[in-house]
Amino acid sequence: GTMPIARATKQGTSVLAKLGAYQNVLAREVHRSHLGIPNLLVLTVTTDQGRCAELVRRFGEQAGEAPQFLFQAAASSGVFVQPDAGLLANPWDRPCLAPLRIDR
């Protein structure tokens, strides 16, 4: 939760800039050609539901429908997400799409 969602300038990093880099990897299918991975999901976990909703909204504005990009808020203890946080069992939010469960 310390990295800004976006920056006013190109100086420094932001969550949206990093997600944009993953979007480029997916568009160019680098995960297939260089890593041999047939499909790739980009999972983003934050400890605050409000920040999670803002990430989904803002990335949706930037990318539109983005089925490979999944977002979820989970309970944490310091910097570590709790093992029982329900990351697999709970639905993941996606920009401009219905939530998705990844445990099925």
Side-chain angles (χ1 to χ4, degrees):
T2 59
M3 183 181 296
I5 292 174
R7 292 196 184 260
T9 68
K10 299 256 186 213
Q11 299 296 324
T13 189
S14 71
V15 178
L16 289 179
K18 289 186 177 206
L19 293 173
Y22 279 111
Q23 191 176 22
N24 188 30
V25 165
L26 286 162
R28 294 179 33 231
E29 297 190 350
V30 173
H31 58 291
R32 292 177 196 251
S33 62
H34 286 65
L35 302 174
I37 299 171
N39 51 39
L40 180 67
L41 295 176
V42 179
L43 307 178
T44 301
V45 178
T46 184
T47 58
D48 180 79
Q49 185 59 46
R51 181 175 171 86
C52 183
E54 184 70 4
L55 281 169
V56 172
R57 183 187 71 77
R58 299 219 15 215
F59 188 63
E61 290 174 353
Q62 175 180 308
E65 286 186 6
Q68 300 94 341
F69 290 83
L70 308 177
F71 299 83
Q72 194 175 123
S76 74
S77 170
V79 296
F80 298 103
V81 172
Q82 295 296 317
D84 63 346
L87 292 174
L88 294 179
N90 294 331
W92 290 74
D93 293 324
R94 298 183 295 169
C96 307
L97 294 165
L100 176 74
R101 292 193 57 154
I102 61 173
D103 64 339
R104 298 180 182 173

Coordinates of all heavy atoms in Angstrom, one line a residue:
G1 N 0.8 -1.2 0.0 CA 0.0 0.0 0.0 C 0.8 1.3 0.0 O 0.3 2.3 0.2
T2 N 2.1 1.2 -0.2 CA 3.0 2.4 -0.1 C 3.2 2.9 -1.5 O 3.6 4.1 -1.7 CB 4.3 2.1 0.6 OG1 5.0 1.1 -0.1 CG2 4.1 1.7 2.0
M3 N 3.1 2.1 -2.6 CA 3.4 2.6 -3.9 C 2.1 3.4 -4.4 O 1.0 2.9 -4.3 CB 3.7 1.5 -4.9 CG 4.0 1.9 -6.3 SD 4.3 0.5 -7.4 CE 5.8 -0.1 -6.6
P4 N 2.3 4.6 -5.0 CA 1.1 5.3 -5.5 C 0.4 4.5 -6.6 O 1.1 3.8 -7.4 CB 1.7 6.6 -5.9 CG 3.1 6.4 -6.1 CD 3.5 5.3 -5.2
I5 N -0.9 4.7 -6.7 CA -1.6 4.1 -7.8 C -1.2 4.7 -9.1 O -1.0 4.0 -10.1 CB -3.1 4.3 -7.6 CG1 -3.6 3.4 -6.4 CG2 -3.9 3.9 -8.8 CD1 -5.0 3.6 -6.0
A6 N -1.0 6.0 -9.2 CA -0.5 6.7 -10.4 C 0.4 7.9 -9.9 O 0.3 8.3 -8.8 CB -1.7 7.2 -11.2
R7 N 1.1 8.4 -10.8 CA 2.0 9.6 -10.6 C 1.6 10.6 -11.6 O 1.2 10.3 -12.7 CB 3.5 9.2 -10.7 CG 3.9 8.3 -9.6 CD 5.4 8.3 -9.5 NE 5.9 7.4 -8.5 CZ 6.3 7.7 -7.2 NH1 6.2 9.0 -6.8 NH2 6.7 6.8 -6.4
A8 N 1.8 11.9 -11.2 CA 1.5 13.0 -12.1 C 2.5 13.1 -13.2 O 2.2 13.6 -14.3 CB 1.5 14.3 -11.3
T9 N 3.7 12.6 -13.0 CA 4.8 12.6 -14.0 C 5.3 11.2 -14.2 O 4.9 10.3 -13.6 CB 6.0 13.5 -13.5 OG1 6.6 12.8 -12.4 CG2 5.5 14.9 -13.1
K10 N 6.1 11.1 -15.2 CA 6.7 9.7 -15.5 C 7.8 9.4 -14.6 O 8.4 8.3 -14.7 CB 7.2 9.7 -17.0 CG 6.1 10.0 -18.0 CD 5.7 8.8 -18.7 CE 4.7 9.1 -19.8 NZ 3.8 8.1 -20.0
Q11 N 8.2 10.3 -13.7 CA 9.3 10.0 -12.7 C 8.8 9.1 -11.7 O 7.7 9.2 -11.1 CB 9.8 11.3 -12.1 CG 10.4 12.3 -13.1 CD 11.6 11.7 -13.8 OE1 12.4 11.0 -13.1 NE2 11.8 12.1 -15.0
G12 N 9.5 8.0 -11.3 CA 9.1 7.1 -10.3 C 8.2 6.0 -10.8 O 7.7 6.1 -12.0
T13 N 7.9 5.1 -10.0 CA 7.0 4.0 -10.4 C 5.6 4.1 -9.8 O 5.4 4.9 -8.9 CB 7.7 2.6 -10.0 OG1 6.9 1.6 -10.5 CG2 7.7 2.5 -8.4
S14 N 4.7 3.4 -10.3 CA 3.3 3.4 -9.8 C 2.7 2.0 -10.1 O 3.2 1.3 -11.0 CB 2.5 4.5 -10.4 OG 2.2 4.2 -11.8
V15 N 1.6 1.7 -9.4 CA 1.0 0.5 -9.7 C 0.4 0.4 -11.1 O 0.6 -0.6 -11.8 CB -0.2 0.2 -8.7 CG1 -0.9 -1.0 -9.0 CG2 0.3 0.2 -7.2
L16 N -0.2 1.5 -11.6 CA -0.7 1.5 -12.9 C 0.4 1.4 -14.0 O 0.2 0.7 -15.0 CB -1.5 2.8 -13.2 CG -2.9 2.9 -12.5 CD1 -3.6 4.2 -12.8 CD2 -3.8 1.7 -12.8
A17 N 1.5 1.9 -13.8 CA 2.6 1.8 -14.7 C 3.1 0.3 -14.7 O 3.4 -0.2 -15.8 CB 3.8 2.7 -14.3
K18 N 3.2 -0.3 -13.6 CA 3.6 -1.7 -13.6 C 2.5 -2.6 -14.2 O 2.9 -3.5 -15.0 CB 3.8 -2.2 -12.1 CG 5.1 -1.6 -11.6 CD 5.5 -2.1 -10.2 CE 6.8 -1.5 -9.8 NZ 7.5 -2.3 -8.8
L19 N 1.3 -2.4 -14.0 CA 0.2 -3.1 -14.6 C 0.2 -2.9 -16.1 O 0.0 -3.8 -16.9 CB -1.2 -2.8 -14.0 CG -1.4 -3.2 -12.6 CD1 -2.7 -2.6 -12.1 CD2 -1.4 -4.7 -12.4
G20 N 0.6 -1.7 -16.6 CA 0.7 -1.4 -18.0 C 1.8 -2.2 -18.6 O 1.7 -2.7 -19.7
A21 N 2.9 -2.4 -17.9 CA 4.0 -3.2 -18.4 C 3.6 -4.7 -18.5 O 3.9 -5.3 -19.5 CB 5.2 -3.2 -17.4
Y22 N 2.8 -5.2 -17.6 CA 2.3 -6.6 -17.7 C 1.3 -6.6 -18.9 O 1.3 -7.6 -19.6 CB 1.5 -7.0 -16.4 CG 2.5 -7.5 -15.4 CD1 2.7 -6.8 -14.2 CD2 3.1 -8.7 -15.5 CE1 3.5 -7.3 -13.2 CE2 4.0 -9.2 -14.5 CZ 4.2 -8.5 -13.4 OH 5.0 -8.9 -12.4
Q23 N 0.5 -5.6 -19.1 CA -0.4 -5.5 -20.3 C 0.4 -5.6 -21.6 O 0.0 -6.3 -22.5 CB -1.2 -4.2 -20.2 CG -2.3 -4.2 -21.1 CD -3.1 -2.9 -20.9 OE1 -2.6 -1.9 -20.4 NE2 -4.4 -2.9 -21.3
N24 N 1.5 -5.0 -21.6 CA 2.4 -5.1 -22.8 C 2.9 -6.5 -23.0 O 3.0 -7.0 -24.1 CB 3.5 -4.1 -22.7 CG 4.3 -4.0 -23.9 OD1 3.9 -4.1 -25.0 ND2 5.6 -3.6 -23.8
V25 N 3.3 -7.1 -21.9 CA 3.8 -8.5 -22.0 C 2.7 -9.4 -22.6 O 3.0 -10.3 -23.4 CB 4.3 -9.0 -20.6 CG1 4.4 -10.5 -20.5 CG2 5.6 -8.4 -20.2
L26 N 1.5 -9.3 -22.1 CA 0.4 -10.1 -22.5 C 0.1 -9.8 -24.0 O -0.2 -10.7 -24.8 CB -0.9 -9.8 -21.7 CG -0.8 -10.5 -20.3 CD1 -1.8 -9.8 -19.3 CD2 -1.0 -12.0 -20.4
A27 N 0.0 -8.5 -24.4 CA -0.3 -8.2 -25.8 C 0.7 -8.7 -26.7 O 0.4 -9.2 -27.8 CB -0.4 -6.7 -25.9
R28 N 2.0 -8.8 -26.3 CA 3.1 -9.3 -27.2 C 3.3 -10.8 -27.0 O 4.1 -11.4 -27.7 CB 4.4 -8.5 -26.9 CG 4.3 -7.0 -27.3 CD 5.5 -6.2 -27.0 NE 6.8 -6.9 -27.1 CZ 7.7 -7.0 -26.2 NH1 7.6 -6.3 -25.1 NH2 8.8 -7.6 -26.4
E29 N 2.5 -11.4 -26.1 CA 2.6 -12.8 -25.8 C 4.0 -13.3 -25.4 O 4.4 -14.4 -25.8 CB 2.0 -13.6 -27.0 CG 0.5 -13.4 -27.2 CD -0.1 -14.3 -28.2 OE1 0.6 -15.1 -28.8 OE2 -1.3 -14.3 -28.2
V30 N 4.7 -12.5 -24.7 CA 6.0 -12.8 -24.3 C 6.0 -14.0 -23.3 O 6.9 -14.8 -23.3 CB 6.7 -11.6 -23.5 CG1 8.0 -11.9 -22.9 CG2 6.9 -10.4 -24.5
H31 N 4.9 -14.1 -22.5 CA 4.8 -15.3 -21.6 C 4.8 -16.6 -22.4 O 5.3 -17.6 -21.9 CB 3.5 -15.1 -20.8 CG 2.3 -15.0 -21.5 ND1 1.9 -13.9 -22.3 CD2 1.2 -15.9 -21.7 CE1 0.8 -14.1 -22.8 NE2 0.3 -15.3 -22.5
R32 N 4.3 -16.6 -23.6 CA 4.2 -17.8 -24.4 C 5.6 -18.0 -25.1 O 6.2 -19.1 -25.1 CB 3.2 -17.7 -25.5 CG 1.8 -17.7 -25.0 CD 0.8 -17.5 -26.2 NE -0.5 -17.2 -25.7 CZ -1.6 -18.0 -25.7 NH1 -1.4 -19.2 -26.2 NH2 -2.7 -17.6 -25.2
S33 N 6.1 -17.0 -25.8 CA 7.3 -17.1 -26.6 C 8.6 -17.3 -25.8 O 9.5 -18.1 -26.2 CB 7.4 -16.0 -27.6 OG 7.6 -14.8 -26.9
H34 N 8.7 -16.6 -24.7 CA 9.9 -16.7 -23.9 C 9.9 -17.6 -22.7 O 10.9 -18.2 -22.3 CB 10.3 -15.3 -23.4 CG 10.8 -14.4 -24.5 ND1 10.1 -14.0 -25.5 CD2 12.0 -13.9 -24.7 CE1 10.8 -13.2 -26.3 NE2 12.0 -13.1 -25.8
L35 N 8.7 -17.8 -22.1 CA 8.6 -18.6 -20.9 C 7.8 -20.0 -21.2 O 7.8 -20.8 -20.3 CB 7.9 -17.8 -19.8 CG 8.6 -16.5 -19.4 CD1 7.7 -15.8 -18.4 CD2 9.9 -16.8 -18.9
G36 N 7.1 -20.1 -22.3 CA 6.4 -21.3 -22.6 C 5.1 -21.4 -21.7 O 4.6 -22.5 -21.6
I37 N 4.6 -20.3 -21.2 CA 3.4 -20.3 -20.4 C 2.2 -20.0 -21.3 O 2.2 -19.0 -21.9 CB 3.5 -19.3 -19.2 CG1 4.7 -19.6 -18.3 CG2 2.2 -19.2 -18.5 CD1 5.0 -18.5 -17.3
P38 N 1.3 -20.9 -21.4 CA 0.2 -20.7 -22.4 C -0.8 -19.6 -22.0 O -1.4 -19.0 -22.9 CB -0.6 -22.1 -22.4 CG -0.2 -22.7 -21.1 CD 1.1 -22.2 -20.7
N39 N -1.0 -19.4 -20.7 CA -1.8 -18.3 -20.3 C -1.3 -17.7 -19.0 O -0.6 -18.4 -18.3 CB -3.3 -18.7 -20.1 CG -3.5 -19.9 -19.3 OD1 -2.8 -20.1 -18.3 ND2 -4.3 -20.8 -19.6
L40 N -1.6 -16.4 -18.8 CA -1.0 -15.7 -17.6 C -2.1 -14.9 -17.0 O -2.8 -14.2 -17.6 CB 0.1 -14.9 -18.1 CG 0.9 -14.0 -17.1 CD1 1.7 -15.0 -16.1 CD2 1.8 -13.0 -17.7
L41 N -2.2 -15.0 -15.6 CA -3.0 -14.1 -14.8 C -2.1 -13.2 -14.0 O -1.2 -13.7 -13.4 CB -3.9 -14.9 -13.9 CG -5.0 -15.8 -14.6 CD1 -5.7 -16.6 -13.5 CD2 -5.9 -15.0 -15.4
V42 N -2.5 -12.0 -13.9 CA -1.7 -11.0 -13.1 C -2.6 -10.8 -11.9 O -3.6 -10.1 -12.0 CB -1.5 -9.7 -13.9 CG1 -0.7 -8.7 -13.0 CG2 -0.7 -10.0 -15.2
L43 N -2.1 -11.3 -10.8 CA -2.8 -11.2 -9.5 C -2.3 -10.0 -8.7 O -1.1 -9.9 -8.4 CB -2.7 -12.4 -8.7 CG -3.1 -13.7 -9.4 CD1 -2.8 -14.9 -8.4 CD2 -4.5 -13.7 -9.8
T44 N -3.2 -9.1 -8.3 CA -2.8 -8.0 -7.5 C -3.5 -8.0 -6.1 O -4.8 -8.0 -6.1 CB -3.1 -6.6 -8.2 OG1 -2.4 -6.6 -9.4 CG2 -2.7 -5.4 -7.3
V45 N -2.8 -8.1 -5.0 CA -3.4 -8.2 -3.7 C -3.0 -6.9 -2.9 O -1.9 -6.5 -2.9 CB -2.9 -9.4 -3.0 CG1 -3.5 -9.5 -1.5 CG2 -3.2 -10.7 -3.7
T46 N -4.0 -6.3 -2.3 CA -3.8 -5.2 -1.4 C -4.6 -5.5 -0.1 O -5.4 -6.4 -0.1 CB -4.3 -3.9 -2.1 OG1 -4.0 -2.8 -1.2 CG2 -5.8 -3.9 -2.4
T47 N -4.2 -4.8 0.9 CA -4.8 -5.1 2.2 C -6.0 -4.1 2.5 O -6.6 -4.2 3.6 CB -3.8 -4.9 3.4 OG1 -3.2 -3.6 3.3 CG2 -2.7 -6.0 3.2
D48 N -6.3 -3.3 1.6 CA -7.4 -2.3 1.8 C -8.4 -2.4 0.7 O -8.1 -2.3 -0.5 CB -6.8 -0.9 1.9 CG -7.8 0.2 2.1 OD1 -8.3 0.3 3.3 OD2 -8.2 0.8 1.1
Q49 N -9.7 -2.6 1.1 CA -10.7 -2.8 0.1 C -10.9 -1.5 -0.8 O -11.2 -1.6 -2.0 CB -12.1 -3.2 0.7 CG -13.2 -3.5 -0.2 CD -12.8 -4.6 -1.2 OE1 -12.3 -5.7 -0.8 NE2 -13.1 -4.4 -2.5
G50 N -10.8 -0.4 -0.1 CA -11.0 0.9 -0.9 C -9.9 1.1 -1.9 O -10.1 1.5 -3.1
R51 N -8.6 0.7 -1.6 CA -7.5 0.8 -2.5 C -7.7 -0.2 -3.6 O -7.5 0.1 -4.8 CB -6.2 0.6 -1.8 CG -5.0 0.7 -2.7 CD -3.7 0.5 -1.9 NE -2.5 0.4 -2.7 CZ -1.8 1.4 -3.2 NH1 -2.2 2.7 -3.0 NH2 -0.7 1.2 -3.9
C52 N -8.2 -1.4 -3.3 CA -8.5 -2.4 -4.3 C -9.5 -1.9 -5.3 O -9.3 -2.0 -6.5 CB -8.9 -3.7 -3.6 SG -9.2 -5.1 -4.8
A53 N -10.6 -1.4 -4.8 CA -11.7 -0.8 -5.7 C -11.1 0.3 -6.6 O -11.5 0.4 -7.8 CB -12.8 -0.4 -4.9
E54 N -10.3 1.1 -6.0 CA -9.7 2.2 -6.8 C -8.8 1.7 -7.9 O -8.7 2.2 -9.0 CB -9.0 3.2 -5.9 CG -8.4 4.4 -6.6 CD -9.5 5.4 -7.1 OE1 -10.7 5.2 -6.9 OE2 -9.1 6.4 -7.7
L55 N -8.0 0.7 -7.6 CA -7.1 0.1 -8.6 C -7.9 -0.5 -9.7 O -7.6 -0.3 -10.9 CB -6.2 -1.0 -7.9 CG -5.1 -0.6 -7.1 CD1 -4.5 -1.8 -6.3 CD2 -4.0 0.0 -8.0
V56 N -9.0 -1.2 -9.4 CA -9.8 -1.8 -10.4 C -10.4 -0.8 -11.3 O -10.4 -0.8 -12.5 CB -10.9 -2.7 -9.8 CG1 -11.9 -3.2 -10.9 CG2 -10.3 -3.9 -9.1
R57 N -10.9 0.3 -10.7 CA -11.6 1.4 -11.4 C -10.6 2.1 -12.4 O -10.8 2.3 -13.5 CB -12.2 2.4 -10.5 CG -13.0 3.5 -11.2 CD -13.4 4.6 -10.2 NE -12.3 5.4 -9.7 CZ -11.7 6.3 -10.3 NH1 -12.0 6.6 -11.6 NH2 -10.7 7.0 -9.7
R58 N -9.4 2.5 -11.8 CA -8.5 3.2 -12.6 C -7.8 2.4 -13.7 O -7.6 2.9 -14.8 CB -7.4 3.9 -11.7 CG -8.1 4.8 -10.7 CD -7.6 6.1 -10.3 NE -6.5 6.7 -10.9 CZ -5.6 7.4 -10.3 NH1 -5.6 7.5 -9.0 NH2 -4.7 8.0 -11.0
F59 N -7.5 1.1 -13.4 CA -7.0 0.3 -14.4 C -8.0 0.0 -15.5 O -7.7 -0.1 -16.7 CB -6.4 -1.0 -13.8 CG -5.6 -1.8 -14.9 CD1 -4.5 -1.3 -15.4 CD2 -6.1 -3.1 -15.3 CE1 -3.8 -2.0 -16.4 CE2 -5.4 -3.8 -16.2 CZ -4.2 -3.3 -16.8
G60 N -9.3 -0.1 -15.1 CA -10.3 -0.3 -16.1 C -10.4 0.9 -17.0 O -10.7 0.8 -18.2
E61 N -10.3 2.1 -16.5 CA -10.2 3.3 -17.3 C -9.1 3.3 -18.3 O -9.2 3.8 -19.4 CB -10.2 4.6 -16.4 CG -11.4 4.9 -15.6 CD -11.2 6.0 -14.7 OE1 -10.1 6.6 -14.5 OE2 -12.2 6.4 -14.0
Q62 N -8.0 2.8 -17.9 CA -6.8 2.8 -18.7 C -6.8 1.6 -19.7 O -6.4 1.8 -20.9 CB -5.5 2.6 -17.8 CG -4.2 2.4 -18.5 CD -3.1 2.2 -17.5 OE1 -2.9 3.0 -16.6 NE2 -2.3 1.2 -17.6
A63 N -7.3 0.4 -19.3 CA -7.2 -0.8 -20.1 C -8.5 -1.3 -20.7 O -8.5 -2.1 -21.6 CB -6.5 -1.9 -19.3
G64 N -9.6 -0.8 -20.1 CA -10.9 -1.4 -20.5 C -11.1 -2.8 -20.0 O -10.5 -3.1 -18.9
E65 N -11.7 -3.7 -20.7 CA -11.9 -5.1 -20.2 C -10.5 -5.7 -20.2 O -9.8 -5.7 -21.1 CB -12.8 -5.9 -21.2 CG -14.2 -5.5 -21.0 CD -15.1 -6.5 -21.9 OE1 -14.6 -7.4 -22.5 OE2 -16.3 -6.2 -21.9
A66 N -10.2 -6.2 -19.0 CA -8.9 -6.8 -18.8 C -9.0 -8.2 -18.1 O -8.8 -8.2 -16.9 CB -7.9 -5.9 -18.1
P67 N -9.4 -9.2 -18.8 CA -9.8 -10.5 -18.1 C -8.6 -11.1 -17.4 O -8.8 -11.9 -16.4 CB -10.3 -11.4 -19.2 CG -9.8 -10.8 -20.4 CD -9.7 -9.3 -20.2
Q68 N -7.4 -10.9 -17.8 CA -6.2 -11.5 -17.1 C -5.8 -10.8 -15.9 O -4.9 -11.3 -15.2 CB -5.0 -11.6 -18.1 CG -5.3 -12.3 -19.4 CD -5.8 -11.4 -20.5 OE1 -6.2 -10.3 -20.3 NE2 -5.7 -11.9 -21.7
F69 N -6.3 -9.6 -15.6 CA -5.9 -8.8 -14.4 C -6.9 -9.0 -13.3 O -8.1 -8.6 -13.4 CB -5.7 -7.4 -14.8 CG -4.6 -7.1 -15.7 CD1 -4.7 -7.4 -17.1 CD2 -3.3 -6.7 -15.2 CE1 -3.6 -7.2 -17.9 CE2 -2.2 -6.5 -16.0 CZ -2.4 -6.7 -17.4
L70 N -6.5 -9.6 -12.2 CA -7.4 -9.9 -11.1 C -6.9 -9.1 -9.8 O -5.7 -9.0 -9.6 CB -7.3 -11.4 -10.8 CG -7.6 -12.3 -12.0 CD1 -7.5 -13.7 -11.6 CD2 -9.0 -12.0 -12.6
F71 N -7.9 -8.6 -9.1 CA -7.6 -7.8 -7.9 C -8.4 -8.3 -6.7 O -9.5 -8.7 -6.8 CB -8.0 -6.4 -8.2 CG -7.2 -5.7 -9.3 CD1 -7.7 -5.9 -10.6 CD2 -6.1 -4.9 -9.1 CE1 -7.0 -5.3 -11.7 CE2 -5.4 -4.3 -10.1 CZ -5.9 -4.5 -11.4
Q72 N -7.7 -8.3 -5.5 CA -8.4 -8.7 -4.3 C -7.8 -8.0 -3.1 O -6.6 -7.8 -3.0 CB -8.4 -10.2 -4.2 CG -9.3 -10.8 -3.1 CD -9.3 -12.3 -3.1 OE1 -9.1 -12.8 -2.0 NE2 -9.6 -12.9 -4.2
A73 N -8.6 -7.7 -2.1 CA -8.1 -7.2 -0.8 C -8.1 -8.4 0.1 O -9.0 -9.2 0.1 CB -9.0 -6.1 -0.3
A74 N -7.1 -8.5 1.0 CA -7.0 -9.6 1.9 C -6.4 -9.0 3.2 O -5.7 -8.1 3.2 CB -6.0 -10.6 1.3
A75 N -6.8 -9.7 4.3 CA -6.3 -9.3 5.6 C -4.8 -9.6 5.7 O -4.3 -10.5 5.0 CB -7.0 -10.2 6.7
S76 N -4.1 -8.7 6.4 CA -2.7 -8.9 6.5 C -2.2 -8.8 8.0 O -2.9 -8.3 8.8 CB -1.9 -7.9 5.7 OG -2.0 -6.6 6.3
S77 N -1.0 -9.2 8.2 CA -0.3 -9.1 9.5 C 1.0 -8.4 9.2 O 1.9 -9.1 8.7 CB -0.1 -10.5 10.1 OG 0.7 -10.3 11.2
G78 N 1.1 -7.1 9.3 CA 2.3 -6.4 8.9 C 2.4 -6.4 7.3 O 1.4 -6.0 6.7
V79 N 3.4 -6.9 6.8 CA 3.6 -6.9 5.3 C 3.2 -8.3 4.7 O 3.2 -8.4 3.5 CB 5.0 -6.6 4.9 CG1 5.4 -5.2 5.3 CG2 6.0 -7.7 5.5
F80 N 2.7 -9.2 5.5 CA 2.4 -10.5 5.0 C 0.9 -10.8 5.0 O 0.2 -10.5 6.0 CB 3.1 -11.7 5.7 CG 4.6 -11.6 5.7 CD1 5.3 -11.1 6.7 CD2 5.3 -12.0 4.5 CE1 6.7 -11.0 6.7 CE2 6.6 -11.9 4.5 CZ 7.4 -11.4 5.5
V81 N 0.4 -11.3 3.9 CA -1.0 -11.7 3.8 C -1.2 -12.9 4.6 O -0.4 -13.9 4.5 CB -1.5 -11.9 2.3 CG1 -2.9 -12.4 2.2 CG2 -1.4 -10.5 1.6
Q82 N -2.3 -13.0 5.4 CA -2.6 -14.1 6.2 C -2.9 -15.4 5.3 O -3.6 -15.2 4.3 CB -3.8 -13.9 7.0 CG -3.6 -12.8 8.1 CD -2.6 -13.2 9.1 OE1 -2.5 -14.3 9.6 NE2 -1.7 -12.2 9.4
P83 N -2.4 -16.6 5.6 CA -2.6 -17.7 4.8 C -4.1 -18.1 4.7 O -4.5 -18.7 3.7 CB -1.9 -18.9 5.5 CG -1.2 -18.2 6.7 CD -1.6 -16.8 6.8
D84 N -4.9 -17.7 5.6 CA -6.4 -18.0 5.5 C -7.2 -16.9 5.0 O -8.4 -16.8 5.2 CB -6.9 -18.4 6.9 CG -6.8 -17.3 7.9 OD1 -6.1 -16.3 7.7 OD2 -7.4 -17.4 9.0
A85 N -6.5 -16.0 4.2 CA -7.2 -14.8 3.7 C -8.2 -15.1 2.7 O -9.0 -14.2 2.3 CB -6.1 -13.8 3.2
G86 N -8.4 -16.3 2.2 CA -9.4 -16.6 1.2 C -9.0 -16.2 -0.2 O -9.9 -16.1 -1.0
L87 N -7.8 -16.1 -0.5 CA -7.4 -15.6 -1.8 C -7.8 -16.6 -2.9 O -8.2 -16.2 -4.0 CB -5.9 -15.4 -1.9 CG -5.3 -14.3 -1.0 CD1 -3.8 -14.3 -1.1 CD2 -5.9 -13.0 -1.5
L88 N -7.8 -17.9 -2.6 CA -8.3 -18.8 -3.7 C -9.8 -19.0 -3.7 O -10.4 -19.1 -4.7 CB -7.6 -20.2 -3.4 CG -6.1 -20.2 -3.6 CD1 -5.6 -21.6 -3.4 CD2 -5.7 -19.8 -5.0
A89 N -10.4 -19.0 -2.5 CA -11.9 -19.2 -2.5 C -12.7 -18.0 -2.8 O -13.8 -18.2 -3.3 CB -12.2 -19.8 -1.1
N90 N -12.2 -16.8 -2.6 CA -13.0 -15.6 -2.8 C -12.9 -15.2 -4.3 O -11.8 -15.4 -4.9 CB -12.6 -14.5 -1.9 CG -12.9 -14.8 -0.4 OD1 -13.8 -15.5 -0.1 ND2 -12.1 -14.3 0.5
P91 N -13.9 -14.6 -4.8 CA -13.9 -14.1 -6.2 C -12.9 -12.9 -6.3 O -12.7 -12.1 -5.4 CB -15.3 -13.6 -6.5 CG -16.1 -13.8 -5.3 CD -15.3 -14.4 -4.2
W92 N -12.2 -12.8 -7.4 CA -11.3 -11.7 -7.7 C -12.0 -10.7 -8.6 O -12.7 -11.1 -9.6 CB -10.1 -12.3 -8.5 CG -9.2 -13.1 -7.6 CD1 -9.4 -14.4 -7.2 CD2 -7.9 -12.8 -7.1 NE1 -8.4 -14.9 -6.5 CE2 -7.4 -13.9 -6.4 CE3 -7.2 -11.6 -7.2 CZ2 -6.2 -13.9 -5.7 CZ3 -5.9 -11.6 -6.5 CH2 -5.5 -12.7 -5.8
D93 N -11.8 -9.4 -8.3 CA -12.4 -8.4 -9.1 C -11.6 -8.2 -10.4 O -10.3 -8.4 -10.4 CB -12.4 -7.1 -8.4 CG -13.3 -7.1 -7.2 OD1 -14.4 -7.7 -7.3 OD2 -13.0 -6.5 -6.2
R94 N -12.3 -7.9 -11.5 CA -11.6 -7.6 -12.8 C -12.2 -6.3 -13.4 O -13.4 -6.0 -13.3 CB -11.9 -8.8 -13.8 CG -11.4 -10.1 -13.4 CD -11.6 -11.2 -14.4 NE -13.1 -11.4 -14.6 CZ -13.6 -12.2 -15.5 NH1 -12.8 -12.7 -16.4 NH2 -14.9 -12.3 -15.6
P95 N -11.3 -5.5 -14.1 CA -11.8 -4.3 -14.6 C -12.9 -4.5 -15.7 O -12.6 -5.3 -16.6 CB -10.5 -3.7 -15.3 CG -9.4 -4.3 -14.5 CD -9.9 -5.7 -14.2
C96 N -14.0 -3.9 -15.6 CA -15.1 -3.9 -16.6 C -15.7 -5.3 -16.8 O -16.3 -5.5 -17.8 CB -14.6 -3.3 -17.9 SG -13.9 -1.7 -17.7
L97 N -15.5 -6.2 -15.9 CA -16.0 -7.6 -16.1 C -16.5 -8.1 -14.7 O -16.1 -7.5 -13.7 CB -14.9 -8.5 -16.6 CG -14.4 -8.3 -18.0 CD1 -13.1 -9.0 -18.2 CD2 -15.4 -8.7 -19.0
A98 N -17.3 -9.1 -14.7 CA -17.7 -9.8 -13.5 C -16.6 -10.4 -12.7 O -15.6 -10.8 -13.4 CB -18.8 -10.8 -13.8
P99 N -16.6 -10.5 -11.4 CA -15.6 -11.1 -10.6 C -15.4 -12.6 -11.1 O -16.3 -13.2 -11.7 CB -16.1 -11.1 -9.2 CG -17.1 -9.9 -9.2 CD -17.7 -9.9 -10.6
L100 N -14.2 -13.1 -10.8 CA -13.8 -14.4 -11.3 C -13.3 -15.2 -10.1 O -12.5 -14.7 -9.3 CB -12.7 -14.3 -12.4 CG -12.2 -15.7 -12.9 CD1 -13.2 -16.4 -13.7 CD2 -10.9 -15.4 -13.6
R101 N -13.7 -16.5 -10.0 CA -13.1 -17.4 -9.0 C -12.0 -18.2 -9.7 O -12.2 -18.7 -10.8 CB -14.2 -18.3 -8.4 CG -15.2 -17.5 -7.6 CD -16.1 -18.4 -6.8 NE -15.3 -19.2 -5.9 CZ -15.8 -19.7 -4.8 NH1 -17.0 -19.5 -4.4 NH2 -15.0 -20.6 -4.1
I102 N -10.9 -18.4 -9.0 CA -9.8 -19.1 -9.6 C -9.6 -20.5 -8.9 O -8.7 -21.2 -9.3 CB -8.5 -18.3 -9.5 CG1 -8.1 -18.0 -8.1 CG2 -8.6 -17.0 -10.3 CD1 -6.7 -17.4 -8.0
D103 N -10.5 -20.8 -8.0 CA -10.4 -22.1 -7.3 C -11.2 -23.2 -8.0 O -11.3 -24.3 -7.5 CB -10.8 -22.0 -5.9 CG -12.3 -21.7 -5.7 OD1 -12.9 -21.1 -6.6 OD2 -12.8 -21.9 -4.6
R104 N -11.7 -23.0 -9.2 CA -12.5 -24.0 -9.9 C -12.0 -24.3 -11.2 O -11.3 -23.6 -11.8 CB -14.0 -23.5 -10.1 CG -14.6 -23.2 -8.7 CD -16.0 -22.7 -8.9 NE -16.5 -22.5 -7.6 CZ -17.7 -21.9 -7.4 NH1 -18.4 -21.6 -8.4 NH2 -18.1 -21.8 -6.2

